[in-house]
Amino acid sequence: MSTLNEAWEKYNSTILATKKSRNKAVDQCRWRVHIKDIIGNKHIDDITINDYLNLRLSLEIKKLSPQTVRHCLSLVRRVLNRAVDFNLINKSIPSFIHVFPKFDNKRNRFLNHNEVKYLLQILKDTDWYDIVLFALNTGLRKGEILNLNKYHCDFSSNIIHVVDTKSSKNRIIPLNMVTLDILKRRHKYDGFFFKFKSMRIWNKAIKQCGFNKNIEDNRHKVVFHTLRHTFASWLAIKNTPLSVIKELLGHCTIDLTMRYAHLSQNQLRTAVDSLSQDFTIPC
């Protein structure tokens, strides 16, 4: 009878071996730090919902975020599911869905024009100035920006090809005058357009701006990903169709883009008002 740790070793050497290095390292760390010593030595056939609940409790005692707790529980479930494929388990796996914590970790914070102006003023004369300005005009994630090189840029059509994305969905982003100027200025560099070393300058600038002062909820703090939300939010406020924002952000489904729907109030008003002429009541 195999233990959960033995099932993990099989999962680690086969399934995780095909994953991206970062994703693999994250799962390996979660197992080693949060799971291995809690229920890893139990035989798979003996694992019950109570063991799963005890694991969840141990994670919550560590004051891990609900999302991290969910990731850890999900990892155990994936290992158990694969254990069935590997013929390491002799019974059906119980449903653990009700054990998963429910939460909403969406970040909706975006910067206004004055905040952007202040941030860029502080970052002036640093590489972060171009990085932030580029993010605000493309909606690219930090990793996508740092991955850009000359082969991804088509100056004849003024577009960039965004590849190896988080969603594994490549996309094309048009370059406006701001981003085009940035890339042409940085085209002299070999390899990647943006040289990145650490977050120190960024963190110092955010602290100087005071964006996160007295903010306890991480969902309301300004992080680099806030620039992506700012890009999408400003487009929504300008009544850009959500379908267009979805394509620019590279969302797999429109559900992810719907968080910006409330910012398109003018578009909603225009749509409703357009029906007035169809229901004109004669005097």
Side-chain angles (χ1 to χ4, degrees):
M1 187 182 298
S2 299
T3 66
L4 187 58
N5 277 333
E6 290 172 337
W8 157 256
E9 292 301 332
K10 182 72 172 178
Y11 179 86
N12 184 36
S13 62
T14 55
I15 307 303
L16 278 189
T18 64
K19 304 297 183 181
K20 293 181 180 179
S21 297
R22 182 182 182 279
N23 296 338
K24 179 166 59 176
V26 169
D27 276 349
Q28 289 171 339
C29 180
R30 285 173 181 151
W31 193 274
R32 182 180 67 256
V33 176
H34 301 305
I35 302 171
K36 178 180 178 181
D37 295 333
I38 304 300
I39 61 172
N41 291 322
K42 288 190 68 77
H43 289 108
I44 300 179
D45 287 334
D46 296 334
I47 293 177
T48 65
I49 291 181
N50 283 335
D51 295 310
Y52 220 55
L53 287 170
N54 289 333
L55 173 60
R56 173 178 169 175
L57 179 60
S58 71
L59 298 173
E60 291 174 340
I61 289 175
K62 294 180 180 179
K63 298 188 182 302
L64 300 178
S65 69
Q67 184 181 30
T68 300
V69 172
R70 190 177 182 89
H71 281 319
C72 290
L73 296 176
S74 178
L75 178 57
V76 173
R77 186 173 63 176
R78 293 201 306 274
V79 171
L80 287 174
N81 284 332
R82 288 298 181 175
V84 174
D85 299 335
F86 299 145
N87 295 318
L88 299 177
I89 191 169
N90 298 316
K91 66 175 185 178
S92 61
I93 299 173
S95 175
F96 296 131
I97 190 65
H98 66 283
V99 183
F100 282 61
K102 296 180 179 180
F103 64 97
D104 182 356
N105 71 325
K106 294 192 297 292
R107 294 178 182 269
N108 294 317
R109 171 75 157 96
F110 65 93
L111 303 178
N112 60 42
H113 287 77
N114 287 333
E115 288 174 326
V116 166
K117 184 178 180 180
Y118 187 28
L119 177 60
L120 289 175
Q121 181 180 348
I122 293 175
L123 292 173
K124 193 175 181 179
D125 300 325
T126 73
D127 278 347
W128 276 96
Y129 180 92
D130 280 352
I131 293 175
V132 168
L133 196 56
F134 196 84
L136 289 168
N137 282 271
T138 61
L140 267 62
R141 302 177 179 91
K142 181 177 66 176
E144 293 170 344
I145 293 176
L146 299 179
N147 189 47
L148 280 178
N149 60 48
K150 297 177 182 179
Y151 302 106
H152 300 139
C153 185
D154 183 354
F155 285 121
S156 63
S157 301
N158 292 341
I159 60 173
I160 52 174
H161 298 270
V162 186
V163 301
D164 299 328
T165 67
K166 178 181 178 181
S167 62
S168 299
K169 180 183 177 181
N170 298 338
R171 63 189 189 278
I172 294 176
I173 302 293
L175 294 171
N176 60 20
M177 296 302 296
V178 175
T179 52
L180 191 60
D181 176 67
I182 291 174
L183 293 188
K184 284 186 174 180
R185 283 193 289 103
R186 304 183 72 87
H187 195 258
K188 59 184 178 182
Y189 298 137
D190 294 329
F192 300 103
F193 282 106
F194 303 96
K195 306 295 182 181
F196 177 79
K197 294 183 179 179
S198 74
M199 299 291 290
R200 183 179 60 83
I201 295 177
W202 163 266
N203 292 333
K204 184 178 179 181
I206 294 301
K207 184 176 181 179
Q208 186 173 342
C209 288
F211 293 152
N212 296 331
K213 186 177 182 180
N214 299 324
I215 302 296
E216 298 295 334
D217 192 333
N218 288 332
R219 291 171 296 184
H220 299 299
K221 289 185 177 180
V222 172
V223 295
F224 190 87
H225 207 71
T226 304
L227 304 179
R228 180 171 163 87
H229 291 314
T230 301
F231 166 81
S233 298
W234 286 12
L235 287 179
I237 292 172
K238 293 178 180 294
N239 293 324
T240 304
L242 291 178
S243 59
V244 174
I245 298 176
K246 170 184 173 293
E247 292 302 314
L248 290 172
L249 293 178
H251 285 164
C252 295
T253 67
I254 194 66
D255 294 342
L256 296 173
T257 321
M258 287 303 296
R259 71 173 71 180
Y260 306 107
H262 70 285
L263 298 173
S264 303
Q265 294 302 314
N266 290 336
Q267 189 175 16
L268 299 178
R269 169 61 62 185
T270 300
V272 173
D273 286 346
S274 67
L275 295 175
S276 297
Q277 59 186 0
D278 298 324
F279 296 94
T280 303
I281 301 176
C283 299

